[in-house]
Amino acid sequence: MRDMTKGAPLGHLFFYAVPLLLGNWLQLAYNAVDSIIAGRFIGQDALAAEGVAGPVMNLVILAISGLCIGAGVLMSEAFGAGKTEALRETLATTLLFGAGLCCAVALAGTLLAPWVLRALAVPESIFAITGAYLRITFLGAPFTFFYNALAAGLKSVGDSRTPLKFLAFSALLNAALDLVLIGGLGFGIVCSAVTTVVAEAASALMAALYMARRVPQLCPARRDWRIRLPLLGRILQYGAVTALQQAVQPICKVLIQGQVNALGVGAIAAFNAVTRVDDFAFTPEQSIASAITTYIAQNRGAQQPERIRRGFAAGLRLELGYWALIGLLVAGLRTPLVALFVSGEGAAQVVALGSEYLGLMALFYVLPALTNGFQGFYRGMGRMGTTLLGTCLQAGLRALGAAVLAPRVGLAGVAWACAFGWCVMLLFEAPYYFYTCKKMQLR
């Protein structure tokens, strides 16, 4: 556990964010491994199919994580205030409500998969394999929720290292199964989806066993296992807004995917590859933002407002330092990075398209570094409506920009659209930060 109400803010943020960063990279790693193995061992159609299904599943996954982030803010406040019983009750209510919701989503997703793919104008050549992949990954949604909810409980008390261990195991398990079953035995894209679900289930099971044996103060007792409506109302007040905010980005990506689909299978494959790189680049920025959220929420619960602004300034320094590193790496390695995802006929076109996109994004990554920092501040202060408004503003302008630019300049237009949306979001968030500090008397 890490009590962030005492000690230097920068140290707390750094040591809390690093395991989150590594853990989220590992979570993305087995998605990237799926894409690399699918593209190299099954073919370009499989890579394109995963690229189409990815934004749809991200919509579900980010909605789940949004609900858990909202509940995590409440748990961090309870921990900072020393209210252990409230901490357990929040976790129990979140698990019970989320379990029912995710099972309903899994069922609806498997039934509505063909309709979703038709709405996205998926080419007939990859329609069947995309549908099979999407249905199986929908069935894994409950496992994704259970892991995220349990991890949110651990992170709320400052433990960001233990979830990393579970993700490391599941990432290695997924990679091993893919290499053996697809690379070695020649199974198709259905197997790729199954191995991902198995890895997610493994991480959820390990988190549950660890919490039961090693963190009893977090484990709900028998009397805690019920949905408390007043508490559920607060969880939904925080979590539903955060879930909606988390879901806005994949909705935007689905809209952009529709524009990319019109450019052909080569562009779809290239976009799948570069978005995997984008995910790796963005995730540490989001991890630092999560550290800012936990730090601020704990100090708000402990009624120590004097530490909040100092912690936020330290968090922004971490965000900018990370951007300097990732921008240089992506700019220098953009061509070999894209080449990892594809080989054979048509690979040169895919690599050229992806390399041009990443050359622009390496510069633009500074913008989400700053906006994520502000989002972490607002979440920690309980201002979920502000984070939702900023995200909707950014995503809407990004989708609109892509609709205008992608048909004219291809994938490079998508990169410019991203930059436009982030700039407008930053123009909204930065001035509002100073207004919030003045209104809430943060020194």
Side-chain angles (χ1 to χ4, degrees):
M1 294 185 182
R2 179 175 293 275
D3 185 353
M4 299 187 183
T5 61
K6 305 177 182 68
L10 185 61
H12 282 311
L13 293 171
F14 179 80
F15 289 109
Y16 183 90
V18 167
L20 286 182
L21 183 157
L22 296 175
N24 287 328
W25 267 347
L26 285 169
Q27 193 167 21
L28 291 169
Y30 57 68
N31 293 332
V33 166
D34 282 344
S35 293
I36 292 171
I37 293 176
R40 288 188 168 272
F41 292 103
I42 306 175
Q44 181 175 288
D45 284 354
L47 181 61
E50 290 194 5
V52 173
V56 178
M57 285 311 302
N58 284 341
L59 177 64
V60 177
I61 292 169
L62 291 180
I64 288 171
S65 67
L67 181 64
C68 295
I69 288 170
V73 171
L74 290 176
M75 288 189 281
S76 293
E77 289 179 12
F79 177 72
K83 299 178 179 178
T84 305
E85 185 176 355
L87 180 63
R88 294 196 305 266
E89 290 175 351
T90 303
L91 181 59
T93 300
T94 302
L95 287 171
L96 291 173
F97 175 78
L101 183 63
C102 286
C103 288
V105 167
L107 177 61
T110 56
L111 295 175
L112 298 176
W115 180 86
V116 171
L117 298 182
R118 289 192 185 95
L120 291 174
V122 175
E124 286 297 327
S125 61
I126 60 172
F127 192 93
I129 60 173
T130 305
Y133 184 87
L134 190 58
R135 283 191 177 96
I136 295 171
T137 49
F138 260 118
L139 293 175
F143 299 119
T144 304
F145 165 74
F146 275 111
Y147 169 76
N148 277 274
L150 295 174
L154 291 170
K155 293 171 186 176
S156 71
V157 299
D159 182 3
S160 59
R161 291 181 296 176
T162 301
L164 170 62
K165 299 173 184 177
F166 306 146
L167 283 175
F169 175 81
S170 62
L172 291 173
L173 175 63
N174 183 74
L177 290 174
D178 275 351
L179 287 171
V180 172
L181 299 177
I182 299 175
L185 300 179
F187 287 101
I189 194 170
V190 169
C191 183
S192 178
V194 170
T195 57
T196 299
V197 172
V198 169
E200 291 171 349
S203 62
L205 178 61
M206 292 176 69
L209 292 174
Y210 176 85
M211 188 175 290
R213 295 177 180 177
R214 304 293 296 275
V215 197
Q217 57 268 54
L218 262 177
C219 276
R222 180 175 297 180
R223 66 179 181 276
D224 298 322
W225 284 109
R226 61 187 179 88
I227 295 178
R228 290 168 169 78
L229 293 180
L231 183 55
L232 178 60
R234 290 196 68 203
I235 292 172
L236 291 178
Q237 180 184 355
Y238 280 59
V241 175
T242 307
L244 182 57
Q245 176 206 344
Q246 294 287 327
V248 165
Q249 293 289 11
I251 289 173
C252 169
K253 194 170 180 180
V254 166
L255 295 174
I256 293 174
Q257 184 73 56
Q259 298 296 326
V260 174
N261 290 348
L263 302 177
V265 173
I268 296 173
F271 191 59
N272 182 26
V274 297
T275 51
R276 298 297 188 189
V277 178
D278 278 347
D279 288 342
F280 275 96
F282 295 150
T283 295
E285 296 174 346
Q286 296 162 358
S287 299
I288 296 170
S290 295
I292 294 172
T293 295
T294 301
Y295 173 91
I296 290 176
Q298 283 194 14
N299 282 280
R300 191 160 69 95
Q303 298 183 354
Q304 298 195 62
E306 70 280 358
R307 292 177 55 84
I308 290 177
R309 289 191 74 170
R310 287 198 296 130
F312 176 63
L316 284 187
R317 291 197 296 271
L318 282 178
E319 293 278 16
L320 292 174
Y322 167 74
W323 164 71
L325 174 63
I326 197 63
L328 288 173
L329 287 174
V330 172
L333 301 174
R334 60 187 185 274
T335 298
L337 283 173
V338 180
L340 282 174
F341 290 86
V342 65
S343 63
E345 185 179 354
Q349 179 195 14
V350 172
V351 171
L353 289 170
S355 180
E356 180 186 12
Y357 173 94
L358 289 178
L360 292 169
M361 291 300 289
L363 176 63
F364 296 156
Y365 288 151
V366 66
L367 299 171
L370 293 171
T371 59
N372 273 297
F374 281 105
Q375 293 282 80
F377 169 80
Y378 291 125
R379 280 197 300 269
M381 294 300 295
R383 292 186 166 271
M384 305 304 182
T386 304
T387 65
L388 175 61
L389 180 59
T391 300
C392 288
L393 184 66
Q394 180 271 138
L397 292 174
R398 179 182 173 188
L400 180 61
V404 173
L405 295 175
R408 292 167 175 81
V409 294
L411 289 185
V414 176
W416 283 106
C418 292
F420 175 62
W422 286 323
C423 284
V424 176
M425 183 180 183
L426 193 58
L427 289 174
F428 161 72
E429 287 184 335
Y432 194 72
Y433 163 77
F434 294 103
Y435 169 78
T436 302
C437 289
K438 182 178 179 180
K439 183 178 180 180
M440 304 189 76
Q441 299 182 336
L442 300 180
R443 297 182 294 275

